[in-house]
Amino acid sequence: MRHIISILMENEAGALSRVAGLFSARAYNIESLTVAPTEDPSLSRMTIVTTGTEEIIEQITKQLNKLVDVVRLMDMTDGPHIEREMMMVKVRAEAGQREEFKRLADIFRGRIIDVTESTYVIELTGDSAKLDAFLQAVDTGKIIEVVRSGVSGIARGEKALNI
Amino acid sequence: MELTGAEIFVRCLQDEGVELLFGYPGGAVLHIYDALYQQDKVQHILVRHEQAATHAADGYARATGKPGCVLVTSGPGATNAVTGIATAYMDSIPMVVFTGQVPTSLIGNDAFQEVDNIGITRPCVKHNFLVKDVRDLAVTIKKAFYVATTGRPGPVVVDIPKDVTAARCEYSYPKKVRMRSYNPTVKGHAGQIKRAVELLLQARRPMLYTGGGVILDNASEQLIELTRLLNFPITNTLMGLGAYPATDRQFVGMLGMHGTYEANMAMHNCDVLVAVGARFDDRVTGNIEKFCPSAKIIHIDVDPASISKNVKVDVPIVGSVGNVLEQLLKLIKAGKARPDPEALAAWWEQIEEWRGLDCLKYDRGSELVKPQYVLETLYKVTNGDAFVTSDVGQHQMWAAQFYKFDKPRRWINSGGLGTMGFGFPAAMGVQLAYPDETVCCITGEGSIQMCIQELSTCLQYGLPVKIINLNNRYLGMVRQWQEFFYQKRYAMSYMESLPDFVKLAESYGHVGMQIDKPQDVEGALKEAMQLKDRLVFLDFITDQSENVYPMIPAGAGQNEMILI
Ligand SMILES: Cc1cc2nc3c(=O)[nH]c(=O)nc-3n(C[C@H](O)[C@H](O)[C@H](O)COP(=O)(O)OP(=O)(O)OC[C@H]3O[C@@H](n4cnc5c(N)ncnc54)[C@H](O)[C@@H]3O)c2cc1C
Ligand SMILES: Cc1ncc(C[n+]2csc(CCOP(=O)(O)OP(=O)(O)O)c2C)c(N)n1
Ligand SMILES: [Mg+2]
């Protein structure tokens, strides 16, 4: 199953490599990994999307928790949560297709954020499935470049990952 | 007053109470060596190879329970130390290793003797630190000792660039450190304790399977009390030997690949298994699919990640062994209920029947020196009271089987990584910790040659280690597998061109003896033990074809042992 695991870590040099090293050393899957500082400059927040059996996910969370730099961890998938990923897609948009791209972007609540005579850059936010769906809807021949931020997640309601 | 980083380093070790620092100098740590030179509280032991520094510190830690300390230079000094760091990591040994580093301004420049110590050691340390500012040095060292010695212990590396050791700042050593990201759970959860006690009291065929965690936590006393109170059979892993007295009736021997028949059969047939500070290693479980088919399992471990890693357990208890055993004892003693004595009597009868098979028997009439006989005799000659370190191979297994450890921290070997070359430097660490005790290193002609240069260190510091070389002219453990599983194609397992070990020992100023007849074994061992202040190298020319029995072959269950 797919899990979204968020961790708060000491914002120290090498923290990212400890997590990345753990996943490669133990041969765990990693779909995406994002990391950025939080409102507290001493902490950074990492979101990892991974897949595995329940046993493997249990080991992943235990091994992550065991890292001395990890302050707190939450498996978003355990409860109601919001998942978001941002994507920018550069497409070849020439005369006849410009309207169609505009319509498609609207349907997915995307925005066109860069325009040239022959290209558009479309920005899209949503869960990963929605971004996948958008890409499926676009004629692959027209895609010049895709960049995705990787997933970040937050729990709904009172539950929070903080210290 | 402001001190240099090098002076601060030394003061930190003094304030931490470090007695011994094992190391080897080089450019990046010269400031530190200069500061060490000007004091005499911390004794520096100069080894002959950095790998030996780590093993010696590790041996010291295993024997004393205190963290071992190592200092090596940048680049090759640090890479040479990696094997020893990984060895300590696999067996959860508390150790703090200081590595020199090129000056901060040169880091990343492929500078002379630069290597990414943090990157190289990351997968084999509990944690590591790079100190970039002299003002962080003291607190980082404090944290290193704290992390290394608490929770599940392990090695910690502190990488110190040369300029940091020259820079100055005020010194103060923190009394305590707190790390918000690191808080090991040491007390067992009350609800789990209750569930565990219920299971224990209902058990009809119970089994205690205890490991290195009992020794690491100094919890032998509690373990003995619980075992006796319940009258349960108990087995130890290779790492756990000595935690429960091996000469006691309730002890059924080591379990696992080369464990006893009775221990493995009792494991396989038990209905309640209590794993205490043991990690269900594959050398213990054999084929996981066939492991303890009818048992409910209780697992006590301070590391949550050890629990349900290899084997799914029914009652997980996170906490330190000593605390949790006390909690269990308290609850059991508070009530009147005890396990059904009739069921236990029947279970013991069954176990005695397995024990009656005498799975460790060997040919006592042989003309050749049998390794088992050497170890039995060593046990007798040392009254079972020596510190015994071991290298890796057949000799290690025989030592574990035939030397009966009644006390913890007396049996010192590399179990998790299985590092040949460990035994001799580890023995130096033990001997330095206990100058008046008998320290024996059980080794083979393959293993001993991996750190033989330390004969020189022993001469320098007058370390009277007794080296028991079970010389079978083979990488015996490898040869055994080739005999069993590769139709006797002995690829590269024959040790040719061996040195004359007696002369070798003598050339380093030690005593050497060669023994090739069974009738000379006891006399030689006695003579060696009487040479209290000399290192004696006993080269036993043993039966080349001897194999370690019993054995669980790869893929088999614990009930499918090969017996002799
Ligand atoms: C040639 C060879 C053959 C071998 N054959 C065998 C064999 O036949 N039988 C055998 O048993 N082994 C054998 N081994 C050793 C094996 O590889 C493992 O090293 C060993 O089985 C592990 O022992 P352990 O489970 O006690 O764990 P250890 O490695 O000692 O781990 C200790 C466990 O206790 C926990 N712990 C640590 N501190 C505490 C604390 N304070 N409180 C609570 N828990 C704590 C740790 O988290 C860990 O889970 C062999 C090794 C070699 C090299
Ligand atoms: C550093 C290292 N290299 C290789 C091995 C693999 N290995 C395990 S046991 C063994 C043979 C050891 O030979 P020896 O020391 O003579 O002991 P014996 O088995 O003959 O008693 C080898 C090569 C190892 N454990 N460690
Ligand atoms: Mg040999």
Side-chain angles (χ1 to χ4, degrees), chain A residues 4-7 34 45-49 74 76 80-85 150-156 161:
Chain A
I4 302 172
I5 297 169
S6 294
I7 52 187
T34 68
R45 179 159 173 148
M46 200 177 282
T47 311
I48 299 159
V49 180
M74 190 191 274
M76 292 292 155
H81 64 280
I82 300 162
E83 167 189 346
R84 284 291 179 273
E85 186 175 2
V151 170
S152 38
I154 197 162
R156 287 184 185 275
L161 178 63

PDB file of all heavy atoms in Angstrom, chain A residues 4-7 34 45-49 74 76 80-85 150-156 161:
ATOM      1  N   ILE A   4       1.971   7.966   3.045  1.00  0.00           N
ATOM      2  CA  ILE A   4       2.633   9.267   3.075  1.00  0.00           C
ATOM      3  C   ILE A   4       3.133   9.473   4.497  1.00  0.00           C
ATOM      4  O   ILE A   4       2.345   9.526   5.436  1.00  0.00           O
ATOM      5  CB  ILE A   4       1.655  10.396   2.711  1.00  0.00           C
ATOM      6  CG1 ILE A   4       1.059  10.131   1.331  1.00  0.00           C
ATOM      7  CG2 ILE A   4       2.353  11.745   2.760  1.00  0.00           C
ATOM      8  CD1 ILE A   4      -0.062  11.090   0.973  1.00  0.00           C
ATOM      9  N   ILE A   5       4.446   9.523   4.650  1.00  0.00           N
ATOM     10  CA  ILE A   5       5.027   9.659   5.985  1.00  0.00           C
ATOM     11  C   ILE A   5       5.674  11.030   6.102  1.00  0.00           C
ATOM     12  O   ILE A   5       6.499  11.407   5.256  1.00  0.00           O
ATOM     13  CB  ILE A   5       6.078   8.550   6.220  1.00  0.00           C
ATOM     14  CG1 ILE A   5       5.386   7.181   6.177  1.00  0.00           C
ATOM     15  CG2 ILE A   5       6.788   8.752   7.560  1.00  0.00           C
ATOM     16  CD1 ILE A   5       6.338   6.013   6.127  1.00  0.00           C
ATOM     17  N   SER A   6       5.262  11.761   7.122  1.00  0.00           N
ATOM     18  CA  SER A   6       5.860  13.085   7.338  1.00  0.00           C
ATOM     19  C   SER A   6       6.739  13.044   8.566  1.00  0.00           C
ATOM     20  O   SER A   6       6.370  12.440   9.575  1.00  0.00           O
ATOM     21  CB  SER A   6       4.774  14.130   7.549  1.00  0.00           C
ATOM     22  OG  SER A   6       4.033  14.281   6.361  1.00  0.00           O
ATOM     23  N   ILE A   7       7.893  13.692   8.477  1.00  0.00           N
ATOM     24  CA  ILE A   7       8.753  13.745   9.659  1.00  0.00           C
ATOM     25  C   ILE A   7       9.275  15.148   9.897  1.00  0.00           C
ATOM     26  O   ILE A   7       9.505  15.910   8.963  1.00  0.00           O
ATOM     27  CB  ILE A   7       9.944  12.749   9.582  1.00  0.00           C
ATOM     28  CG1 ILE A   7      10.727  12.904   8.289  1.00  0.00           C
ATOM     29  CG2 ILE A   7       9.501  11.345   9.720  1.00  0.00           C
ATOM     30  CD1 ILE A   7      11.793  11.827   8.132  1.00  0.00           C
ATOM     31  N   THR A  34      10.191  15.040  -0.245  1.00  0.00           N
ATOM     32  CA  THR A  34      10.364  16.492  -0.285  1.00  0.00           C
ATOM     33  C   THR A  34      10.861  16.940   1.069  1.00  0.00           C
ATOM     34  O   THR A  34      10.569  16.318   2.084  1.00  0.00           O
ATOM     35  CB  THR A  34       9.044  17.232  -0.556  1.00  0.00           C
ATOM     36  OG1 THR A  34       8.202  17.053   0.582  1.00  0.00           O
ATOM     37  CG2 THR A  34       8.352  16.715  -1.786  1.00  0.00           C
ATOM     38  N   ARG A  45      10.936  19.815   7.627  1.00  0.00           N
ATOM     39  CA  ARG A  45       9.866  18.834   7.503  1.00  0.00           C
ATOM     40  C   ARG A  45      10.059  18.075   6.207  1.00  0.00           C
ATOM     41  O   ARG A  45      10.294  18.658   5.159  1.00  0.00           O
ATOM     42  CB  ARG A  45       8.512  19.531   7.492  1.00  0.00           C
ATOM     43  CG  ARG A  45       7.356  18.543   7.333  1.00  0.00           C
ATOM     44  CD  ARG A  45       6.080  19.159   7.836  1.00  0.00           C
ATOM     45  NE  ARG A  45       4.933  18.310   7.558  1.00  0.00           N
ATOM     46  CZ  ARG A  45       3.869  18.248   8.336  1.00  0.00           C
ATOM     47  NH1 ARG A  45       3.804  18.980   9.436  1.00  0.00           N
ATOM     48  NH2 ARG A  45       2.855  17.465   8.018  1.00  0.00           N
ATOM     49  N   MET A  46       9.944  16.778   6.321  1.00  0.00           N
ATOM     50  CA  MET A  46      10.158  15.926   5.173  1.00  0.00           C
ATOM     51  C   MET A  46       8.905  15.112   4.931  1.00  0.00           C
ATOM     52  O   MET A  46       8.253  14.685   5.887  1.00  0.00           O
ATOM     53  CB  MET A  46      11.323  15.005   5.505  1.00  0.00           C
ATOM     54  CG  MET A  46      11.988  14.385   4.329  1.00  0.00           C
ATOM     55  SD  MET A  46      13.396  13.390   4.855  1.00  0.00           S
ATOM     56  CE  MET A  46      14.631  14.596   5.180  1.00  0.00           C
ATOM     57  N   THR A  47       8.548  14.951   3.692  1.00  0.00           N
ATOM     58  CA  THR A  47       7.416  14.091   3.361  1.00  0.00           C
ATOM     59  C   THR A  47       7.910  13.013   2.415  1.00  0.00           C
ATOM     60  O   THR A  47       8.540  13.312   1.404  1.00  0.00           O
ATOM     61  CB  THR A  47       6.287  14.886   2.684  1.00  0.00           C
ATOM     62  OG1 THR A  47       6.033  16.048   3.449  1.00  0.00           O
ATOM     63  CG2 THR A  47       5.031  14.047   2.574  1.00  0.00           C
ATOM     64  N   ILE A  48       7.641  11.790   2.799  1.00  0.00           N
ATOM     65  CA  ILE A  48       8.114  10.656   2.008  1.00  0.00           C
ATOM     66  C   ILE A  48       6.907   9.862   1.546  1.00  0.00           C
ATOM     67  O   ILE A  48       6.037   9.523   2.357  1.00  0.00           O
ATOM     68  CB  ILE A  48       9.003   9.744   2.855  1.00  0.00           C
ATOM     69  CG1 ILE A  48      10.225  10.533   3.352  1.00  0.00           C
ATOM     70  CG2 ILE A  48       9.447   8.520   2.076  1.00  0.00           C
ATOM     71  CD1 ILE A  48      10.852   9.914   4.558  1.00  0.00           C
ATOM     72  N   VAL A  49       6.840   9.567   0.266  1.00  0.00           N
ATOM     73  CA  VAL A  49       5.796   8.668  -0.220  1.00  0.00           C
ATOM     74  C   VAL A  49       6.462   7.339  -0.521  1.00  0.00           C
ATOM     75  O   VAL A  49       7.474   7.276  -1.234  1.00  0.00           O
ATOM     76  CB  VAL A  49       5.107   9.223  -1.473  1.00  0.00           C
ATOM     77  CG1 VAL A  49       4.030   8.259  -1.954  1.00  0.00           C
ATOM     78  CG2 VAL A  49       4.510  10.585  -1.187  1.00  0.00           C
ATOM     79  N   MET A  74       4.812  11.132  11.551  1.00  0.00           N
ATOM     80  CA  MET A  74       3.393  10.798  11.438  1.00  0.00           C
ATOM     81  C   MET A  74       3.142  10.112  10.101  1.00  0.00           C
ATOM     82  O   MET A  74       3.650  10.563   9.073  1.00  0.00           O
ATOM     83  CB  MET A  74       2.551  12.072  11.532  1.00  0.00           C
ATOM     84  CG  MET A  74       1.064  11.808  11.679  1.00  0.00           C
ATOM     85  SD  MET A  74       0.108  13.319  11.456  1.00  0.00           S
ATOM     86  CE  MET A  74       0.150  13.978  13.078  1.00  0.00           C
ATOM     87  N   MET A  76       0.630   9.864   7.599  1.00  0.00           N
ATOM     88  CA  MET A  76      -0.593  10.586   7.221  1.00  0.00           C
ATOM     89  C   MET A  76      -1.708   9.619   6.853  1.00  0.00           C
ATOM     90  O   MET A  76      -2.889   9.878   7.073  1.00  0.00           O
ATOM     91  CB  MET A  76      -0.320  11.490   6.009  1.00  0.00           C
ATOM     92  CG  MET A  76       0.601  12.622   6.313  1.00  0.00           C
ATOM     93  SD  MET A  76      -0.214  13.762   7.423  1.00  0.00           S
ATOM     94  CE  MET A  76       1.199  14.502   8.194  1.00  0.00           C
ATOM     95  N   PRO A  80      -7.549  10.817   8.352  1.00  0.00           N
ATOM     96  CA  PRO A  80      -7.945  11.752   7.296  1.00  0.00           C
ATOM     97  C   PRO A  80      -6.849  12.806   7.098  1.00  0.00           C
ATOM     98  O   PRO A  80      -6.306  13.325   8.076  1.00  0.00           O
ATOM     99  CB  PRO A  80      -9.236  12.378   7.814  1.00  0.00           C
ATOM    100  CG  PRO A  80      -9.309  12.045   9.264  1.00  0.00           C
ATOM    101  CD  PRO A  80      -8.441  10.859   9.518  1.00  0.00           C
ATOM    102  N   HIS A  81      -6.529  13.051   5.875  1.00  0.00           N
ATOM    103  CA  HIS A  81      -5.433  13.981   5.608  1.00  0.00           C
ATOM    104  C   HIS A  81      -5.602  14.609   4.242  1.00  0.00           C
ATOM    105  O   HIS A  81      -6.429  14.158   3.433  1.00  0.00           O
ATOM    106  CB  HIS A  81      -4.099  13.236   5.672  1.00  0.00           C
ATOM    107  CG  HIS A  81      -3.974  12.187   4.600  1.00  0.00           C
ATOM    108  ND1 HIS A  81      -4.568  10.949   4.710  1.00  0.00           N
ATOM    109  CD2 HIS A  81      -3.350  12.208   3.398  1.00  0.00           C
ATOM    110  CE1 HIS A  81      -4.306  10.241   3.617  1.00  0.00           C
ATOM    111  NE2 HIS A  81      -3.575  10.988   2.814  1.00  0.00           N
ATOM    112  N   ILE A  82      -4.835  15.626   3.998  1.00  0.00           N
ATOM    113  CA  ILE A  82      -4.861  16.284   2.698  1.00  0.00           C
ATOM    114  C   ILE A  82      -3.497  16.092   2.058  1.00  0.00           C
ATOM    115  O   ILE A  82      -2.473  16.271   2.714  1.00  0.00           O
ATOM    116  CB  ILE A  82      -5.150  17.792   2.866  1.00  0.00           C
ATOM    117  CG1 ILE A  82      -6.504  17.975   3.553  1.00  0.00           C
ATOM    118  CG2 ILE A  82      -5.139  18.496   1.503  1.00  0.00           C
ATOM    119  CD1 ILE A  82      -6.679  19.351   4.156  1.00  0.00           C
ATOM    120  N   GLU A  83      -3.545  15.705   0.803  1.00  0.00           N
ATOM    121  CA  GLU A  83      -2.303  15.462   0.074  1.00  0.00           C
ATOM    122  C   GLU A  83      -2.237  16.452  -1.077  1.00  0.00           C
ATOM    123  O   GLU A  83      -3.234  16.632  -1.790  1.00  0.00           O
ATOM    124  CB  GLU A  83      -2.345  14.023  -0.462  1.00  0.00           C
ATOM    125  CG  GLU A  83      -1.289  13.724  -1.478  1.00  0.00           C
ATOM    126  CD  GLU A  83      -1.495  12.361  -2.160  1.00  0.00           C
ATOM    127  OE1 GLU A  83      -2.303  11.535  -1.678  1.00  0.00           O
ATOM    128  OE2 GLU A  83      -0.852  12.152  -3.202  1.00  0.00           O
ATOM    129  N   ARG A  84      -1.146  17.090  -1.255  1.00  0.00           N
ATOM    130  CA  ARG A  84      -1.008  18.034  -2.356  1.00  0.00           C
ATOM    131  C   ARG A  84       0.345  17.893  -3.035  1.00  0.00           C
ATOM    132  O   ARG A  84       1.362  17.674  -2.386  1.00  0.00           O
ATOM    133  CB  ARG A  84      -1.124  19.487  -1.851  1.00  0.00           C
ATOM    134  CG  ARG A  84      -2.532  19.927  -1.530  1.00  0.00           C
ATOM    135  CD  ARG A  84      -3.384  20.053  -2.784  1.00  0.00           C
ATOM    136  NE  ARG A  84      -4.725  20.462  -2.430  1.00  0.00           N
ATOM    137  CZ  ARG A  84      -5.701  19.623  -2.096  1.00  0.00           C
ATOM    138  NH1 ARG A  84      -5.498  18.325  -2.068  1.00  0.00           N
ATOM    139  NH2 ARG A  84      -6.893  20.079  -1.787  1.00  0.00           N
ATOM    140  N   GLU A  85       0.276  18.070  -4.348  1.00  0.00           N
ATOM    141  CA  GLU A  85       1.511  18.095  -5.111  1.00  0.00           C
ATOM    142  C   GLU A  85       1.353  19.173  -6.164  1.00  0.00           C
ATOM    143  O   GLU A  85       0.245  19.369  -6.674  1.00  0.00           O
ATOM    144  CB  GLU A  85       1.742  16.730  -5.766  1.00  0.00           C
ATOM    145  CG  GLU A  85       3.070  16.633  -6.465  1.00  0.00           C
ATOM    146  CD  GLU A  85       3.367  15.245  -7.031  1.00  0.00           C
ATOM    147  OE1 GLU A  85       2.508  14.348  -6.921  1.00  0.00           O
ATOM    148  OE2 GLU A  85       4.458  15.088  -7.601  1.00  0.00           O
ATOM    149  N   GLY A 150       6.739  16.732  -5.904  1.00  0.00           N
ATOM    150  CA  GLY A 150       6.678  15.661  -4.897  1.00  0.00           C
ATOM    151  C   GLY A 150       5.567  16.018  -3.928  1.00  0.00           C
ATOM    152  O   GLY A 150       5.153  17.169  -3.819  1.00  0.00           O
ATOM    153  N   VAL A 151       5.133  15.002  -3.180  1.00  0.00           N
ATOM    154  CA  VAL A 151       3.933  15.165  -2.362  1.00  0.00           C
ATOM    155  C   VAL A 151       4.257  15.826  -1.024  1.00  0.00           C
ATOM    156  O   VAL A 151       5.280  15.543  -0.425  1.00  0.00           O
ATOM    157  CB  VAL A 151       3.318  13.769  -2.105  1.00  0.00           C
ATOM    158  CG1 VAL A 151       2.215  13.838  -1.063  1.00  0.00           C
ATOM    159  CG2 VAL A 151       2.819  13.183  -3.411  1.00  0.00           C
ATOM    160  N   SER A 152       3.350  16.713  -0.576  1.00  0.00           N
ATOM    161  CA  SER A 152       3.370  17.060   0.842  1.00  0.00           C
ATOM    162  C   SER A 152       1.985  16.781   1.417  1.00  0.00           C
ATOM    163  O   SER A 152       0.998  16.714   0.683  1.00  0.00           O
ATOM    164  CB  SER A 152       3.823  18.491   1.096  1.00  0.00           C
ATOM    165  OG  SER A 152       3.335  19.341   0.123  1.00  0.00           O
ATOM    166  N   GLY A 153       1.937  16.590   2.725  1.00  0.00           N
ATOM    167  CA  GLY A 153       0.669  16.193   3.323  1.00  0.00           C
ATOM    168  C   GLY A 153       0.456  16.854   4.652  1.00  0.00           C
ATOM    169  O   GLY A 153       1.402  17.266   5.321  1.00  0.00           O
ATOM    170  N   ILE A 154      -0.790  16.950   5.058  1.00  0.00           N
ATOM    171  CA  ILE A 154      -1.134  17.511   6.359  1.00  0.00           C
ATOM    172  C   ILE A 154      -2.381  16.804   6.867  1.00  0.00           C
ATOM    173  O   ILE A 154      -3.265  16.448   6.067  1.00  0.00           O
ATOM    174  CB  ILE A 154      -1.325  19.053   6.239  1.00  0.00           C
ATOM    175  CG1 ILE A 154      -1.278  19.721   7.615  1.00  0.00           C
ATOM    176  CG2 ILE A 154      -2.617  19.402   5.513  1.00  0.00           C
ATOM    177  CD1 ILE A 154      -1.016  21.228   7.528  1.00  0.00           C
ATOM    178  N   ALA A 155      -2.438  16.578   8.174  1.00  0.00           N
ATOM    179  CA  ALA A 155      -3.603  15.886   8.732  1.00  0.00           C
ATOM    180  C   ALA A 155      -4.785  16.844   8.809  1.00  0.00           C
ATOM    181  O   ALA A 155      -4.609  18.048   8.972  1.00  0.00           O
ATOM    182  CB  ALA A 155      -3.274  15.354  10.120  1.00  0.00           C
ATOM    183  N   ARG A 156      -5.997  16.311   8.678  1.00  0.00           N
ATOM    184  CA  ARG A 156      -7.198  17.148   8.825  1.00  0.00           C
ATOM    185  C   ARG A 156      -7.513  17.339  10.306  1.00  0.00           C
ATOM    186  O   ARG A 156      -7.173  16.504  11.133  1.00  0.00           O
ATOM    187  CB  ARG A 156      -8.398  16.478   8.165  1.00  0.00           C
ATOM    188  CG  ARG A 156      -8.342  16.510   6.647  1.00  0.00           C
ATOM    189  CD  ARG A 156      -9.612  15.907   6.062  1.00  0.00           C
ATOM    190  NE  ARG A 156      -9.527  15.828   4.607  1.00  0.00           N
ATOM    191  CZ  ARG A 156      -9.834  16.830   3.788  1.00  0.00           C
ATOM    192  NH1 ARG A 156     -10.273  17.982   4.267  1.00  0.00           N
ATOM    193  NH2 ARG A 156      -9.720  16.671   2.481  1.00  0.00           N
ATOM    194  N   LEU A 161       1.249  17.576  13.227  1.00  0.00           N
ATOM    195  CA  LEU A 161       2.632  17.140  13.420  1.00  0.00           C
ATOM    196  C   LEU A 161       3.446  18.367  13.781  1.00  0.00           C
ATOM    197  O   LEU A 161       3.836  19.149  12.922  1.00  0.00           O
ATOM    198  CB  LEU A 161       3.165  16.505  12.134  1.00  0.00           C
ATOM    199  CG  LEU A 161       4.622  16.044  12.175  1.00  0.00           C
ATOM    200  CD1 LEU A 161       4.833  14.951  13.196  1.00  0.00           C
ATOM    201  CD2 LEU A 161       5.084  15.569  10.804  1.00  0.00           C
TER     202      LEU A 161
END
